[in-house]
């Protein structure tokens, strides 16, 4: 009796498993980075790691690691953009080396900079917050009501409750202020003492606004040297 044996194709289960093992983690990592890039392309403010992890249903540690890897990759590749951790979240920024080209394209050489009065007022709020308008005016030696309204409208300052003793509205800087300054937190502002006059009278206090403004300018310069942010000191728009 003739027995016909059917030939079977060689088993590829081992090869398939090895291929999946080889590409699985890489593809998974690539997918996460691609998703992060897509989200960060459309955010209006720095995106927090916890929020990204929740949206993508991934562990926060995995998301944080992927973000840092992306940031490092962009730097190594010499991309025109950078991914930075600012004001508690992640966001894309133009690289400092490309600032002249960006200025020509977007700003056409013009920026709406803060006036000296606005910068001094903002600086007083940054260092004294939460602080009332009357206190800011006392420090600067002039009425600051109009300037405070401008800072609130620009999103650099916001209300922070009221003073228990007087009921006066208190103000503090916003996350947008940190973002524009390129700071992770207020603790990155420079120490104020070196910028204050070594006198202890009322006239010295009237100069405090200017001295604080110089401290903020120093913070901006220091941060720019560390991270390459070119537009930070102007606080434009």
């Amino acid at each position: 009796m003739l027995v016909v044996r059917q030939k079977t194709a060689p088993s590829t289960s081992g090869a398939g498993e090895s291929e999946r093992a080889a590409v699985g983690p890489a593809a998974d990592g690539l997918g996460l980075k691609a998703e992060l890039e897509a989200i960060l392309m459309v955010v209006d403010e720095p995106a927090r790691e916890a929020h990204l992890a929740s949206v993508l249903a991934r562990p926060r540690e995995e998301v944080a690691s992927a973000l840092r890897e992306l940031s490092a990759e962009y730097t190594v590749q010499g991309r025109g953009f950078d991914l930075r951790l600012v004001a508690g979240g992640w966001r894309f920024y133009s690289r400092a080396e490309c600032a002249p080209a960006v200025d020509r394209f977007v700003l056409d050489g013009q920026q709406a900079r803060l006036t000296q009065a606005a910068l001094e007022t903002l600086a007083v709020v940054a260092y004294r917050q939460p602080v009332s308008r009357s206190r800011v005016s006392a420090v600067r030696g002039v009425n600051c009501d109009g300037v405070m309204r401008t800072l609130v409208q620009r999103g650099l300052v916001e209300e922070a409750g009221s003073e228990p003793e007087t009921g006066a509205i208190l103000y503090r800087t916003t996350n947008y202020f940190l973002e524009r300054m390129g700071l992770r937190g207020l603790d990155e502002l420079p120490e104020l003492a070196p910028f204050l006059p070594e006198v202890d009278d009322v006239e010295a206090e009237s100069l405090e606004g200017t001295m604080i403004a110089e401290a903020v300018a120093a913070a901006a310069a220091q941060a720019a040297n560390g991270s390459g942010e070119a537009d930070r000191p102007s606080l434009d728009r």
Side-chain angles (χ1 to χ4, degrees), residues 12-139:
T12 59
S13 60
E17 290 176 2
S18 62
E19 287 179 4
R20 284 192 294 272
V23 302
D28 183 65
L30 179 62
L32 173 58
K33 290 181 179 179
E35 290 173 339
L36 289 170
E37 288 176 324
I39 293 174
L40 293 171
M41 285 291 293
V42 299
V43 298
D44 293 326
E45 58 185 21
R48 298 183 178 276
E49 294 173 357
H51 187 201
L52 292 171
S54 175
V55 169
L56 299 176
R58 300 276 192 142
R60 179 172 178 173
E61 295 76 11
E62 184 179 356
V63 169
S65 177
L67 288 166
R68 285 166 173 77
E69 288 177 8
L70 281 173
S71 180
E73 289 171 8
Y74 299 148
T75 299
V76 171
Q77 295 168 4
R79 298 295 186 92
F81 57 88
D82 187 18
L83 181 59
R84 301 178 192 166
L85 177 61
V86 173
W90 292 84
R91 187 176 182 182
F92 284 120
Y93 287 85
S94 299
R95 276 195 197 280
E97 293 81 359
C98 301
V102 175
D103 285 346
R104 289 194 298 271
F105 180 79
V106 178
L107 304 175
D108 194 21
Q110 297 183 0
Q111 287 184 313
R113 296 176 181 270
L114 292 177
T115 63
Q116 181 66 24
L119 179 59
E120 291 179 5
T121 301
L122 177 60
V124 174
V125 175
Y127 277 91
R128 299 299 190 192
Q129 62 185 306
V131 63
S132 65
R133 285 186 296 180
S134 61
R135 173 59 180 164
V136 175
S137 297
V139 170

